[in-house]
Amino acid sequence: MKLKIKEYREELQLTQKELAEKINNSQRNISNWESGASEPDCETIIKLAEIFDISIDQLFGREPQYSVREPAMGIDYNILKEVRNLTDTQKFALMQFLREIHY
Amino acid sequence: MKLKIKEYREELQLTQKELAEKINNSQRNISNWESGASEPDCETIIKLAEIFDISIDQLFGREPQYSVREPAMGIDYNILKEVRNLTDTQKFALMQFLREIHY
DNA sequence: TAAAGGTAGAAATATAATTACTAAAGGAGG
DNA sequence: CCTCCTTTAGTAATTATATTTCTACCTTTA
């Protein structure tokens, strides 16, 4: 069984190493899971679904289950969704804001 | 991680042995999975969800319908990278900013 | 009380996951 | 073109975990 880890990781533009750090695991394990050489345990499967903000069924490559209630979005995804809707001018303002946050 | 195998098995009024036969496995393994002593692999997890006629999320003890989202395509790479490096506190500030930015 | 069905303890074994080292592949910049 | 750097994956050793086997303990029922 090969979970759809690579697909969702790349969607978030994370490297294997970055994803590994987010779930306290090794880059090599991410590689193994993505290739199907091994499988993450159930606890890790949940972590992955949470980071990708998808259902476990989706991570397993099954049909998404359409939600009736408000989806429990992850904070990263909420931000990305907002950013996508910005105009170029607003994006410029956002970049300035990000610079201020850093320094 | 303890999957909700026992609950759904009993709902179907199956013994561990009967369930084991349905998925070509041993009674002892069912026992181990139910107690949390071990975990079934991903392929078996799918088999179980199919026999119980539930989502994998339900088998994991999550809400029947968790979250669904569209693919995050077309995000500006630089912004995405910046956002990812923020602390949680900074992310909250950013969300505030994003809400204000489009009035 | 005996017998049968259902489940789980303990220990040995088998199998799989994880790690560590490292090399290949692909880009960025000199 | 060359070199450095990043990203990913091959191999093999190690570690961890699942699985098996044998069996004992319940509970039910005749």
Side-chain angles (χ1 to χ4, degrees):
Chain A
M1 259 306 307
K2 206 159 83 176
L3 301 183
K4 298 232 171 305
I5 297 174
K6 185 183 175 73
E7 290 84 339
Y8 287 107
R9 173 178 63 79
E10 289 180 341
E11 195 177 291
L12 288 184
Q13 308 209 34
L14 293 170
T15 66
Q16 292 181 343
K17 187 163 172 288
E18 287 168 334
L19 176 57
E21 282 161 2
K22 277 183 181 290
I23 61 175
N24 292 319
N25 220 299
S26 70
Q27 174 269 321
R28 201 57 182 74
N29 276 341
I30 308 287
S31 170
N32 285 338
W33 301 338
E34 288 187 354
S35 70
S38 67
E39 294 176 351
D41 61 26
C42 292
E43 200 179 315
T44 305
I45 286 173
I46 291 177
K47 282 188 191 173
L48 290 170
E50 280 174 352
I51 283 181
F52 297 147
D53 192 41
I54 57 175
S55 68
I56 300 176
D57 285 77
Q58 281 176 290
L59 189 59
F60 272 70
R62 310 192 113 204
E63 286 301 305
Q65 306 151 20
Y66 291 102
S67 179
V68 181
R69 62 185 179 75
E70 272 300 299
M73 295 283 203
I75 183 166
D76 275 5
Y77 181 67
N78 273 326
I79 290 174
L80 296 183
K81 192 173 170 187
E82 293 283 344
V83 168
R84 188 162 40 166
N85 292 329
L86 297 178
T87 65
D88 284 347
T89 309
Q90 288 171 328
K91 280 184 184 173
F92 182 76
L94 172 56
M95 290 304 288
Q96 275 194 317
F97 176 80
L98 287 171
R99 254 176 243 120
E100 285 168 15
I101 263 186
H102 279 307
Y103 312 111
Chain B
M1 258 307 306
K2 206 159 85 177
L3 302 182
K4 297 235 171 304
I5 297 174
K6 184 182 176 73
E7 291 84 339
Y8 287 107
R9 173 178 62 80
E10 290 179 341
E11 201 174 292
L12 290 184
Q13 310 213 34
L14 292 171
T15 66
Q16 291 181 344
K17 188 164 173 285
E18 287 169 335
L19 176 57
E21 283 161 0
K22 278 183 182 289
I23 61 175
N24 293 319
N25 220 300
S26 70
Q27 173 269 320
R28 201 57 183 70
N29 276 340
I30 308 286
S31 171
N32 284 338
W33 301 336
E34 288 186 354
S35 69
S38 67
E39 294 177 351
D41 60 27
C42 291
E43 200 180 314
T44 305
I45 286 172
I46 291 178
K47 283 187 190 173
L48 290 170
E50 281 173 352
I51 284 180
F52 296 148
D53 192 36
I54 56 173
S55 68
I56 300 176
D57 287 78
Q58 280 175 288
L59 190 58
F60 272 69
R62 309 192 116 205
E63 289 298 309
Q65 290 153 338
Y66 195 50
S67 73
V68 160
R69 63 171 173 79
E70 295 159 11
M73 301 299 290
I75 300 289
D76 183 70
Y77 180 74
N78 290 325
I79 292 179
L80 175 56
K81 196 146 193 166
E82 290 280 347
V83 168
R84 281 210 324 266
N85 290 330
L86 297 177
T87 65
D88 281 349
T89 309
Q90 290 171 328
K91 283 178 185 174
F92 275 115
L94 173 55
M95 291 217 294
Q96 201 91 38
F97 175 80
L98 286 170
R99 273 189 220 103
E100 289 165 5
I101 212 174
H102 37 65
Y103 321 115

